Amino acid sequence: MKEQPSTPSAHTVFLGLGTNLGQKEENIRRAIEKIGELVGEVVRQSALYRSEPWGFQSDNSFVNAVICCQTTLTPHEVLAKTQAIERAMGRRHKSVNRQYHDRIIDIDILLYDDWQVDEPDLQIPHPLMFQRDFVMNPLREILDFPEEETT
């Protein structure tokens, strides 16, 4: 009897999304749809949050959200897929050396299971997420925290 191949295990990945150009709510919706197709099932999604540009000057405010996916992809495969989605949606420039610009869509890997990755092209947890309310507020909204006991 031939053994069945083992099913790749699912990983939990949290992604931060932001946009400050074009039809912002539609940009977020399209990105989430593509993530569901290319990365994995979107199991949780925060509300949309509005924020001012962070780290650069712009007249265009942002719409941000955080989603949680189940994926069988590795962290680098998730990075490749999310960057491909950004390019397909019209993003031309990634931020380099913290030089930020207006963008049609930005997708950041915030967390991947409880893994830590520290490589030149990928850092998990995202190194700046704790400094950004537009990331932490929607992330807290969808994270599973045990309720505090009251006495």
Side-chain angles (χ1 to χ4, degrees):
M1 183 169 157
K2 192 174 184 182
E3 285 189 36
Q4 293 292 325
S6 62
T7 304
S9 59
H11 300 278
T12 301
V13 61
F14 288 86
L15 301 171
L17 293 85
T19 176
N20 76 329
L21 293 175
Q23 296 180 3
K24 300 169 194 175
E25 291 83 2
E26 177 65 14
N27 294 344
I28 297 287
R29 187 199 64 72
R30 282 182 50 223
I32 292 171
E33 182 179 291
K34 289 308 235 177
I35 290 165
E37 292 171 10
L38 300 175
V39 174
E41 179 185 4
V42 177
V43 295
R44 278 177 269 164
Q45 176 182 337
S46 75
L48 299 180
Y49 287 74
R50 298 199 179 279
S51 66
E52 292 305 311
W54 186 93
F56 74 106
Q57 297 292 318
S58 176
D59 293 333
N60 303 311
S61 64
F62 276 82
V63 171
N64 302 94
V66 170
I67 62 172
C68 176
C69 295
Q70 295 298 307
T71 187
T72 57
L73 303 177
T74 68
H76 280 93
E77 289 170 333
V78 172
L79 179 64
K81 296 289 186 184
T82 57
Q83 288 179 342
I85 293 167
E86 290 174 339
R87 285 190 303 276
M89 289 183 64
R91 183 156 186 193
R92 298 293 169 239
H93 306 285
K94 283 299 280 182
S95 303
V96 177
N97 296 324
R98 298 190 182 168
Q99 295 296 310
Y100 302 110
H101 308 279
D102 290 323
R103 63 208 72 152
I104 192 112
I105 194 68
D106 184 38
I107 306 169
D108 290 331
I109 301 172
L110 304 175
L111 301 166
Y112 183 102
D113 289 341
D114 60 355
W115 292 22
Q116 293 185 8
V117 178
D118 188 5
E119 297 179 9
D121 64 333
L122 181 61
Q123 291 83 43
I124 301 174
H126 190 286
L128 299 175
M129 67 186 229
F130 296 108
Q131 299 173 26
R132 299 171 170 176
D133 286 343
F134 61 86
V135 171
M136 294 308 296
N137 290 336
L139 179 61
R140 283 186 196 101
E141 178 188 330
I142 65 171
L143 276 174
D144 287 329
F145 285 114
E147 291 189 28
E148 292 183 24
E149 292 183 28
T150 57
T151 53

